[in-house]
Structures are given as structure tokens and as C-alpha cells.
Amino acid sequence: MTDRTIPASNGLGADLGHNIRVARNAQNISLRELARRAGISGSALSQIETGKTRPTVKTAYEIARQLGVTLADLSAGVPSPGGSGAHAATGPFPPSAGQGDVVRDGLAAHMRQAVEFIPREAQRVVDLQGGEQFRVLSGHSLPGANCLLLTYEPGAVSPPGEEFVRHAGHEFNYLAVGRLVIEVGTQRFELKPGDTLAFPATTPHRLSNPWAETAELVCVFVSSPDSRTGATT
């Protein structure tokens, strides 16, 4: 998976990079090793960690997966002060573990607090590459899953250019607003509000919004419960 990053334009992009670096250092993983696992270059990861550039949501997800954390962890780092209703956490990041351990830990958290309410004002929003933005909708109550609201401005393409991306796990997508093109392998789907699309994320795919209206997509990334073997390209 390649990642052509763009300059970060706000503090949230810098926070995401800082949290990635904190999580990586906490697990004694070198920058080069994490970059290798996530399928990006060491220089790209360095620029992400220093807040100079922003990743695509797919790259952010793969980095989180390789660190054994969720996108909610990486976007927040630690529970936000006054974030009433947000999930409780024992620390900013879980210790290093296999993906199966992550799923089991998530299940344990789910059993401890099966009901999770996150008000809109407590949800983290991060601007990413290529006119893409994500809002974290879930905390730790969905074992092995990350639920995001992705916003695609007119003309947005993810990943940029003619590239496709693939990564471990599965994706479920529900288009809430606007229209969106999702290409999966050789198939091309034009989604309108209410349409859904699910597919193995190991299949090369890309998303684009060629229309003049903003699109909002609810996306659920479901991790494979076996192991973290590194990103595919």
C-alpha cells in the first residue's frame, strides 16, 4: 500500500501523528519497522508522525491495526477532558498484542460496558489526505471493529491518483448522503443514499466523489481475528 501524503492543515492531523509516535514508542517498535508493516515508506511515516503530512484513512487504519489499537485510540490518544459519555480507557494505548488478543480484549471491554453512548461533541474528527475526513463513531464496545463516518468533498479521491489500496479485514459501507463511486477490483459501484456495499478489504479498491455535492459514508472496518501480518500492496 503506497501513501502519497499532503501537508497537514490543522492541529488534529498533528495530534494523530503524535499519538502514532507515542503508541509506537510504547511498544518499542522502530519507525522503519512500523512503516514496513503498514506498507508505507519510512519517510512517509516520519512526516505523518511529525504532523507535516496526513495519511489516507486506509493508511491510518492499517497503522492502528499494526499497533493493535483502534482509530479511536489514535485520534484521541487519551480520553478527552469533559468528554462525557465517551468510552472509558485504562490508558492511552493497549500493550502490544496479536490481533486475536485485541479482539478478545475488546470483547472483555464489551462485556464490562456493553452500552456505549458517544455524543456528537465528544466524537473526534480528523482531516486526512485527498479531501477525506473521518469522524470516529465507535469506541471499544465493538470488538474487532472500527466504525467511522467518512466525508468526501466534491472531487475527492482515496487514494489519490490512479492507485488502488488493499488491507487486511473486511469493509461494510453505507452511504448516508450524496453519491459516491467505490471501485472493488474490476467492478465499479455508484452508490446513492441508502445503498450498502461490503467486500474483503484484501481486494484492491478505491473511492471517489466526482459529483458537486459532499458525500457521507458510514464505514465499518472489521479486523481479521487471527494475526497482524502486515499490509498488502
Side-chain angles (χ1 to χ4, degrees):
M1 177 171 60
T2 57
D3 187 22
R4 291 182 290 179
T5 52
I6 61 174
S9 61
N10 59 41
L12 288 179
D15 288 346
L16 182 68
H18 170 77
N19 294 339
I20 290 171
R21 184 170 65 250
V22 170
R24 177 177 62 77
N25 289 336
Q27 299 183 34
N28 295 316
I29 302 174
S30 70
L31 185 146
R32 181 176 297 180
E33 175 60 18
L34 179 58
R36 184 193 67 78
R37 294 182 190 179
I40 60 176
S41 67
S43 61
L45 179 57
S46 177
Q47 291 183 11
I48 291 170
E49 288 192 349
T50 56
K52 294 179 181 178
T53 58
R54 295 174 290 183
T56 63
V57 69
K58 310 296 184 182
T59 296
Y61 166 79
E62 189 60 33
I63 290 172
R65 192 179 75 87
Q66 294 302 326
L67 289 169
V69 301
T70 67
L71 283 174
D73 291 321
L74 288 186
S75 62
V78 294
S80 301
S84 175
H87 66 271
T90 57
F93 301 104
S96 178
Q99 187 64 38
D101 294 330
V102 173
V103 172
R104 286 192 292 273
D105 290 345
L107 180 59
H110 174 71
M111 295 303 292
R112 288 195 301 270
Q113 184 177 332
V115 177
E116 178 182 56
F117 170 65
I118 307 178
R120 182 177 177 85
E121 60 270 18
Q123 298 165 4
R124 292 284 291 183
V125 178
V126 180
D127 292 318
L128 296 175
Q129 183 183 1
E132 191 177 20
Q133 179 190 84
F134 78 77
R135 175 182 292 272
V136 180
L137 302 181
S138 61
H140 293 101
S141 65
L142 297 175
N146 286 273
C147 186
L148 306 175
L149 176 63
L150 304 179
T151 300
Y152 294 89
E153 298 297 333
V157 179
S158 179
E162 300 298 320
E163 297 177 0
F164 281 64
V165 67
R166 57 185 180 132
H167 52 84
H170 288 72
E171 285 190 29
F172 172 82
N173 298 278
Y174 169 83
L175 189 64
V177 176
R179 290 181 291 173
L180 198 67
V181 172
I182 301 181
E183 297 171 78
V184 183
T186 59
Q187 296 179 281
R188 185 178 188 273
F189 302 91
E190 292 189 7
L191 278 67
K192 60 183 184 301
D195 289 347
T196 65
L197 180 64
F199 55 88
T202 51
T203 304
H205 56 281
R206 68 197 300 259
L207 298 86
S208 60
N209 179 9
W211 291 283
E213 57 184 327
T214 299
E216 293 186 354
L217 182 75
V218 176
C219 181
V220 180
F221 294 95
V222 182
S223 300
S224 299
D226 46 6
S227 63
R228 291 173 287 164
T229 57
T232 52
T233 57

